[in-house]
Short mmCIF file of all heavy atoms in Angstrom, two decimals:
data_model
loop_
_atom_site.label_atom_id
_atom_site.label_comp_id
_atom_site.label_asym_id
_atom_site.label_seq_id
_atom_site.Cartn_x
_atom_site.Cartn_y
_atom_site.Cartn_z
N ILE A 239 -91.17 78.08 -70.12
CA ILE A 239 -92.47 77.52 -70.43
C ILE A 239 -92.21 76.57 -71.59
O ILE A 239 -92.11 76.98 -72.74
CB ILE A 239 -93.47 78.61 -70.82
CG1 ILE A 239 -93.55 79.66 -69.70
CG2 ILE A 239 -94.85 78.02 -71.09
CD1 ILE A 239 -94.25 80.94 -70.11
N ALA A 240 -92.06 75.28 -71.23
CA ALA A 240 -91.52 74.31 -72.18
C ALA A 240 -92.62 73.38 -72.67
O ALA A 240 -93.18 72.60 -71.91
CB ALA A 240 -90.41 73.50 -71.49
N VAL A 241 -92.93 73.49 -73.95
CA VAL A 241 -94.06 72.77 -74.54
C VAL A 241 -93.58 71.52 -75.27
O VAL A 241 -92.56 71.56 -75.97
CB VAL A 241 -94.83 73.67 -75.53
CG1 VAL A 241 -96.03 72.95 -76.11
CG2 VAL A 241 -95.24 74.96 -74.85
N ASN A 242 -94.29 70.42 -75.07
CA ASN A 242 -94.01 69.19 -75.81
C ASN A 242 -95.34 68.49 -76.07
O ASN A 242 -95.98 68.00 -75.15
CB ASN A 242 -93.09 68.28 -74.97
CG ASN A 242 -92.71 67.02 -75.73
OD1 ASN A 242 -93.08 66.84 -76.89
ND2 ASN A 242 -91.99 66.14 -75.06
N ASP A 243 -95.78 68.50 -77.33
CA ASP A 243 -96.98 67.79 -77.73
C ASP A 243 -98.20 68.24 -76.92
O ASP A 243 -98.93 67.44 -76.33
CB ASP A 243 -96.75 66.28 -77.56
CG ASP A 243 -97.86 65.47 -78.23
OD1 ASP A 243 -98.47 66.00 -79.18
OD2 ASP A 243 -98.11 64.33 -77.78
N GLY A 244 -98.40 69.54 -76.84
CA GLY A 244 -99.59 70.08 -76.18
C GLY A 244 -99.54 70.11 -74.67
O GLY A 244 -100.48 70.56 -74.02
N LYS A 245 -98.45 69.61 -74.10
CA LYS A 245 -98.32 69.68 -72.64
C LYS A 245 -97.11 70.53 -72.28
O LYS A 245 -96.23 70.76 -73.10
CB LYS A 245 -98.17 68.27 -72.05
CG LYS A 245 -99.40 67.41 -72.26
CD LYS A 245 -99.35 66.17 -71.39
CE LYS A 245 -100.69 65.44 -71.43
NZ LYS A 245 -100.78 64.45 -70.35
N VAL A 246 -97.09 70.99 -71.02
CA VAL A 246 -95.97 71.81 -70.58
C VAL A 246 -95.27 71.16 -69.38
O VAL A 246 -95.87 70.42 -68.61
CB VAL A 246 -96.41 73.24 -70.19
CG1 VAL A 246 -97.01 73.96 -71.38
CG2 VAL A 246 -97.38 73.20 -69.03
N LEU A 247 -94.00 71.50 -69.26
CA LEU A 247 -93.20 70.96 -68.16
C LEU A 247 -93.53 71.74 -66.89
O LEU A 247 -93.53 72.97 -66.89
CB LEU A 247 -91.73 71.13 -68.54
CG LEU A 247 -90.67 70.28 -67.84
CD1 LEU A 247 -91.05 68.81 -67.84
CD2 LEU A 247 -89.32 70.49 -68.53
N PHE A 248 -93.80 70.99 -65.85
CA PHE A 248 -94.20 71.61 -64.59
C PHE A 248 -93.57 70.83 -63.45
O PHE A 248 -93.32 69.63 -63.58
CB PHE A 248 -95.74 71.57 -64.47
CG PHE A 248 -96.32 72.85 -63.94
CD1 PHE A 248 -96.01 74.07 -64.51
CD2 PHE A 248 -97.21 72.83 -62.86
CE1 PHE A 248 -96.56 75.24 -64.02
CE2 PHE A 248 -97.76 74.00 -62.38
CZ PHE A 248 -97.44 75.21 -62.95
N GLU A 249 -93.34 71.53 -62.33
CA GLU A 249 -92.65 70.82 -61.24
C GLU A 249 -93.16 71.26 -59.88
O GLU A 249 -93.71 72.34 -59.72
CB GLU A 249 -91.15 71.07 -61.32
CG GLU A 249 -90.78 72.51 -61.03
CD GLU A 249 -89.27 72.74 -61.05
OE1 GLU A 249 -88.53 71.83 -61.42
OE2 GLU A 249 -88.86 73.87 -60.70
N LYS A 250 -92.95 70.35 -58.93
CA LYS A 250 -93.33 70.62 -57.55
C LYS A 250 -92.10 71.09 -56.79
O LYS A 250 -91.04 70.45 -56.86
CB LYS A 250 -93.89 69.35 -56.91
CG LYS A 250 -94.53 69.53 -55.57
CD LYS A 250 -95.21 68.23 -55.12
CE LYS A 250 -95.87 68.39 -53.76
NZ LYS A 250 -96.70 67.25 -53.42
N ARG A 251 -92.22 72.19 -56.07
CA ARG A 251 -91.09 72.70 -55.30
C ARG A 251 -90.79 71.78 -54.11
O ARG A 251 -91.63 71.02 -53.69
CB ARG A 251 -91.39 74.13 -54.80
CG ARG A 251 -91.47 75.17 -55.91
CD ARG A 251 -91.81 76.53 -55.34
NE ARG A 251 -90.81 77.01 -54.41
CZ ARG A 251 -89.74 77.72 -54.76
NH1 ARG A 251 -89.54 78.03 -56.03
NH2 ARG A 251 -88.89 78.14 -53.85
N PRO A 252 -89.59 71.88 -53.58
CA PRO A 252 -89.20 71.03 -52.45
C PRO A 252 -90.15 71.21 -51.25
O PRO A 252 -90.84 72.22 -51.15
CB PRO A 252 -87.80 71.54 -52.10
CG PRO A 252 -87.31 72.25 -53.30
CD PRO A 252 -88.51 72.75 -54.02
N GLU A 253 -90.14 70.23 -50.36
CA GLU A 253 -91.11 70.27 -49.25
C GLU A 253 -90.68 71.16 -48.09
O GLU A 253 -91.37 71.26 -47.09
CB GLU A 253 -91.39 68.86 -48.74
CG GLU A 253 -90.17 68.12 -48.24
CD GLU A 253 -90.56 66.69 -47.83
OE1 GLU A 253 -91.14 66.54 -46.75
OE2 GLU A 253 -90.28 65.75 -48.61
N GLU A 254 -89.54 71.83 -48.24
CA GLU A 254 -89.14 72.79 -47.23
C GLU A 254 -88.73 74.10 -47.89
O GLU A 254 -88.40 74.13 -49.06
CB GLU A 254 -87.97 72.25 -46.40
CG GLU A 254 -88.35 71.04 -45.58
CD GLU A 254 -87.51 70.91 -44.32
OE1 GLU A 254 -86.38 71.42 -44.31
OE2 GLU A 254 -88.00 70.30 -43.36
N GLY A 255 -88.78 75.16 -47.11
CA GLY A 255 -88.32 76.45 -47.61
C GLY A 255 -89.41 77.24 -48.30
O GLY A 255 -90.61 76.99 -48.13
N LEU A 256 -88.99 78.20 -49.10
CA LEU A 256 -89.91 79.12 -49.77
C LEU A 256 -90.92 78.39 -50.64
O LEU A 256 -90.55 77.53 -51.44
CB LEU A 256 -89.08 80.10 -50.62
CG LEU A 256 -89.83 81.18 -51.38
CD1 LEU A 256 -90.49 82.15 -50.42
CD2 LEU A 256 -88.88 81.91 -52.30
N LEU A 257 -92.20 78.71 -50.46
CA LEU A 257 -93.28 78.16 -51.29
C LEU A 257 -93.23 76.63 -51.34
O LEU A 257 -93.44 76.02 -52.40
CB LEU A 257 -93.20 78.75 -52.71
CG LEU A 257 -93.26 80.26 -52.77
CD1 LEU A 257 -92.95 80.76 -54.17
CD2 LEU A 257 -94.64 80.76 -52.33
N ALA A 258 -92.98 76.03 -50.19
CA ALA A 258 -92.81 74.58 -50.11
C ALA A 258 -94.00 73.84 -50.70
O ALA A 258 -95.15 74.17 -50.45
CB ALA A 258 -92.62 74.18 -48.65
N ASN A 259 -93.71 72.85 -51.54
CA ASN A 259 -94.72 71.97 -52.13
C ASN A 259 -95.66 72.66 -53.11
O ASN A 259 -96.64 72.06 -53.53
CB ASN A 259 -95.56 71.28 -51.05
CG ASN A 259 -94.79 70.16 -50.37
OD1 ASN A 259 -93.71 69.77 -50.82
ND2 ASN A 259 -95.34 69.63 -49.30
N MET A 260 -95.40 73.91 -53.45
CA MET A 260 -96.22 74.57 -54.46
C MET A 260 -95.64 74.23 -55.85
O MET A 260 -94.49 73.81 -55.97
CB MET A 260 -96.21 76.08 -54.26
CG MET A 260 -96.65 76.52 -52.87
SD MET A 260 -98.39 76.28 -52.52
CE MET A 260 -99.11 77.68 -53.37
N TRP A 261 -96.45 74.44 -56.89
CA TRP A 261 -96.04 74.07 -58.24
C TRP A 261 -95.60 75.28 -59.05
O TRP A 261 -96.05 76.40 -58.82
CB TRP A 261 -97.19 73.35 -58.95
CG TRP A 261 -97.45 71.98 -58.41
CD1 TRP A 261 -98.08 71.67 -57.23
CD2 TRP A 261 -97.06 70.73 -58.99
NE1 TRP A 261 -98.11 70.31 -57.06
CE2 TRP A 261 -97.50 69.71 -58.13
CE3 TRP A 261 -96.39 70.38 -60.17
CZ2 TRP A 261 -97.29 68.36 -58.40
CZ3 TRP A 261 -96.18 69.04 -60.45
CH2 TRP A 261 -96.62 68.04 -59.56
N GLN A 262 -94.72 75.02 -60.03
CA GLN A 262 -94.20 76.12 -60.83
C GLN A 262 -93.66 75.64 -62.17
O GLN A 262 -93.42 74.46 -62.38
CB GLN A 262 -93.06 76.80 -60.06
CG GLN A 262 -91.86 75.90 -59.87
CD GLN A 262 -90.73 76.57 -59.11
OE1 GLN A 262 -90.91 77.62 -58.50
NE2 GLN A 262 -89.55 75.98 -59.15
N PHE A 263 -93.47 76.60 -63.09
CA PHE A 263 -92.70 76.33 -64.29
C PHE A 263 -91.23 76.22 -63.87
O PHE A 263 -90.82 76.84 -62.89
CB PHE A 263 -92.86 77.47 -65.30
CG PHE A 263 -94.24 77.60 -65.86
CD1 PHE A 263 -95.11 78.58 -65.37
CD2 PHE A 263 -94.69 76.74 -66.85
CE1 PHE A 263 -96.39 78.69 -65.87
CE2 PHE A 263 -95.98 76.84 -67.36
CZ PHE A 263 -96.83 77.82 -66.87
N PRO A 264 -90.46 75.44 -64.61
CA PRO A 264 -89.03 75.32 -64.29
C PRO A 264 -88.37 76.69 -64.29
O PRO A 264 -88.61 77.51 -65.17
CB PRO A 264 -88.50 74.46 -65.44
CG PRO A 264 -89.66 73.66 -65.90
CD PRO A 264 -90.86 74.55 -65.72
N MET A 265 -87.56 76.92 -63.27
CA MET A 265 -86.87 78.20 -63.10
C MET A 265 -85.39 77.95 -62.91
O MET A 265 -85.01 77.15 -62.09
CB MET A 265 -87.39 78.95 -61.86
CG MET A 265 -88.83 79.34 -61.93
SD MET A 265 -89.46 79.94 -60.35
CE MET A 265 -88.20 81.07 -59.85
N MET A 266 -84.56 78.67 -63.64
CA MET A 266 -83.11 78.53 -63.48
C MET A 266 -82.54 79.82 -62.91
O MET A 266 -82.68 80.89 -63.50
CB MET A 266 -82.46 78.21 -64.83
CG MET A 266 -83.03 76.97 -65.54
SD MET A 266 -82.93 75.46 -64.57
CE MET A 266 -81.15 75.26 -64.48
N LEU A 267 -81.90 79.68 -61.77
CA LEU A 267 -81.28 80.83 -61.12
C LEU A 267 -80.08 81.30 -61.94
O LEU A 267 -79.27 80.49 -62.40
CB LEU A 267 -80.84 80.46 -59.70
CG LEU A 267 -80.20 81.55 -58.87
CD1 LEU A 267 -81.19 82.70 -58.63
CD2 LEU A 267 -79.70 80.99 -57.55
N LYS A 268 -79.98 82.62 -62.13
CA LYS A 268 -78.85 83.16 -62.88
C LYS A 268 -77.82 83.76 -61.92
O LYS A 268 -78.19 84.53 -61.03
CB LYS A 268 -79.34 84.25 -63.84
CG LYS A 268 -80.41 83.73 -64.79
CD LYS A 268 -80.43 84.51 -66.03
CE LYS A 268 -81.51 85.57 -66.02
NZ LYS A 268 -81.76 86.05 -67.39
N GLY A 269 -76.58 83.39 -62.10
CA GLY A 269 -75.53 83.97 -61.27
C GLY A 269 -75.45 85.47 -61.50
O GLY A 269 -75.60 86.25 -60.57
N LYS A 270 -75.24 85.87 -62.72
CA LYS A 270 -75.32 87.28 -63.08
C LYS A 270 -76.67 87.50 -63.76
O LYS A 270 -77.34 86.56 -64.17
CB LYS A 270 -74.19 87.66 -64.06
CG LYS A 270 -72.81 87.37 -63.53
CD LYS A 270 -72.37 88.43 -62.52
CE LYS A 270 -70.97 88.10 -62.02
NZ LYS A 270 -70.63 88.86 -60.82
N SER A 271 -77.05 88.73 -63.95
CA SER A 271 -78.40 88.99 -64.44
C SER A 271 -78.54 88.68 -65.93
O SER A 271 -79.62 88.69 -66.45
CB SER A 271 -78.78 90.44 -64.17
OG SER A 271 -77.87 91.28 -64.83
N SER A 272 -77.43 88.37 -66.61
CA SER A 272 -77.57 88.16 -68.06
C SER A 272 -77.06 86.80 -68.53
O SER A 272 -77.03 86.51 -69.71
CB SER A 272 -76.81 89.26 -68.80
OG SER A 272 -75.45 89.20 -68.45
N GLU A 273 -76.68 85.96 -67.58
CA GLU A 273 -76.13 84.65 -67.93
C GLU A 273 -77.14 83.79 -68.70
O GLU A 273 -78.34 83.86 -68.47
CB GLU A 273 -75.72 83.96 -66.63
CG GLU A 273 -74.99 82.66 -66.78
CD GLU A 273 -74.69 82.07 -65.40
OE1 GLU A 273 -74.52 82.86 -64.45
OE2 GLU A 273 -74.69 80.85 -65.28
N ASP A 274 -76.66 82.96 -69.59
CA ASP A 274 -77.53 82.09 -70.38
C ASP A 274 -77.70 80.74 -69.68
O ASP A 274 -76.73 80.05 -69.38
CB ASP A 274 -76.90 81.88 -71.77
CG ASP A 274 -77.90 81.26 -72.72
OD1 ASP A 274 -79.01 80.91 -72.27
OD2 ASP A 274 -77.56 81.12 -73.90
N THR A 275 -78.94 80.36 -69.43
CA THR A 275 -79.19 79.14 -68.65
C THR A 275 -79.75 77.99 -69.48
O THR A 275 -80.14 76.97 -68.93
CB THR A 275 -80.20 79.44 -67.52
OG1 THR A 275 -81.44 79.83 -68.13
CG2 THR A 275 -79.71 80.52 -66.59
N LYS A 276 -79.79 78.14 -70.81
CA LYS A 276 -80.42 77.11 -71.64
C LYS A 276 -79.80 75.73 -71.42
O LYS A 276 -80.50 74.74 -71.25
CB LYS A 276 -80.28 77.48 -73.12
CG LYS A 276 -81.26 78.53 -73.60
CD LYS A 276 -81.27 78.56 -75.13
CE LYS A 276 -81.77 79.88 -75.67
NZ LYS A 276 -80.87 81.02 -75.40
#
Side-chain angles (χ1 to χ4, degrees):
Chain A
I239 304 166
V241 182
N242 183 4
D243 192 26
K245 296 194 170 195
V246 298
L247 200 49
F248 222 53
E249 68 178 7
K250 190 173 180 170
R251 292 178 62 89
E253 59 183 283
E254 295 208 335
L256 182 65
L257 303 171
N259 285 350
M260 305 290 281
W261 289 76
Q262 65 180 14
F263 294 101
M265 297 170 47
M266 304 303 295
L267 182 63
K268 303 206 262 197
K270 303 282 181 195
S271 60
S272 60
E273 187 182 329
D274 193 355
T275 63
K276 281 194 202 68

